[in-house]
Amino acid sequence: MTKPLIGLTGTRQTRQSTLPGLPLQGVFLSDDYALGIERVDGIPVVIPYLTDEVALGELAKRLDGLVLSGGEDVDPALYGQDPHYGLGEVIAQRDALEIALVQMMRAQRKPILGICRGMQVINVALGGTLYQDLPRQWKGKIQHSQKAPRNHLSHRVKIDAASRLAACFGGETSIRVNSFHHQAVKDVAKSLRAVAWDPDGLVEGVESTGADPFTLAVQWHPENLWRDDEKVLGLFRALVEAAVR
C-alpha cells in the first residue's frame, strides 16, 4: 500500500541575511508534527508559501491529507471584526494560504486535521468566529497559556462520547491536555460541531458533521505529547487512515 502524502503548514519566518540584500524568508515547523505523521505511516511534506493559486491547487490535488499547525493569530477581518486590544501577530499570507487549502481540500473531500491555530483557521474558513483574546473576552478561570514545558498536561478536557475525537482516544471522554493559546473558537461554523470543552465550557475540539469530509481539530498541541503517550497518536492515525480511504 502506498503511504498517503500529508501536507503540513508552518509559520512564516523572516530573518536578516548576513549578506547584503533582502531578508531571508521561509517556513518554520517543529519536527514533532512531521515525525508524528511519520510514526503512523504517513509521508509528511511541509507546504511552502506559494503565491500562485494554480500551483497551490495542483499541490492540493496531489496531497492526500492536510495538517494545519499552531502559530499566529487569525486576522479578525476574516470573520467580520475589527482588531481588539490583545490581538497578537497576524500574517495575512499565512491566513490566505491556509484558508485556500481548507477550501480546496474539502472540495476534494480530503481529510484535514487542525491543531491550535489550525482549529481556529478551519472554523473561520467555514464561517465561524473567534475570541480574539481570552483574558479580555472570556470569563473562565482555566489558564490557557501554561507556564510549564510543552509536554506538561495542564488542564482537563471533556469529550463527547459519540464523537470521532473520542474514538481517537479509545473512547475516553475525559483527558488532560497541554495549552498554549489566547484565542479560541467562539461561534462554531455551521458545518462543524463542538465535541470537546474545558471545565469552563470553552470549545476545545470540533469536527465535521454528517456526510461532510473528515475534518477534525483540537485546541491543544498533541504533537508535543505523543512521545510520552502513544495514545495521542490516535489523532494523527485517524487523519492518515482517512487519507488512505
Side-chain angles (χ1 to χ4, degrees), residues 3-9 29-46 63-69 111-115 214 216 222-224 226-227 230 232-244:
K3 295 182 178 182
L5 188 66
I6 307 297
L8 300 98
T9 63
L29 182 71
S30 166
D31 286 346
D32 291 343
Y33 293 97
L35 296 179
I37 292 296
E38 181 187 46
R39 281 290 292 270
V40 295
D41 292 328
I43 302 297
V45 56
V46 179
L63 294 176
D64 299 305
L66 175 67
V67 176
L68 300 176
S69 67
I112 304 171
L113 173 64
I115 294 174
F214 177 106
L216 175 62
E223 80 280 5
N224 300 137
W226 61 263
R227 285 184 175 85
E230 289 215 350
V232 177
L233 286 172
L235 287 165
F236 296 105
R237 185 172 290 109
L239 174 76
V240 168
E241 290 177 350
V244 170

Side-chain angles (χ1 to χ4, degrees), residues 103-115:
Q103 294 168 345
M104 290 173 179
M105 297 295 281
R106 281 179 62 86
Q108 297 173 64
R109 303 191 65 78
K110 292 180 178 179
I112 304 171
L113 173 64
I115 294 174

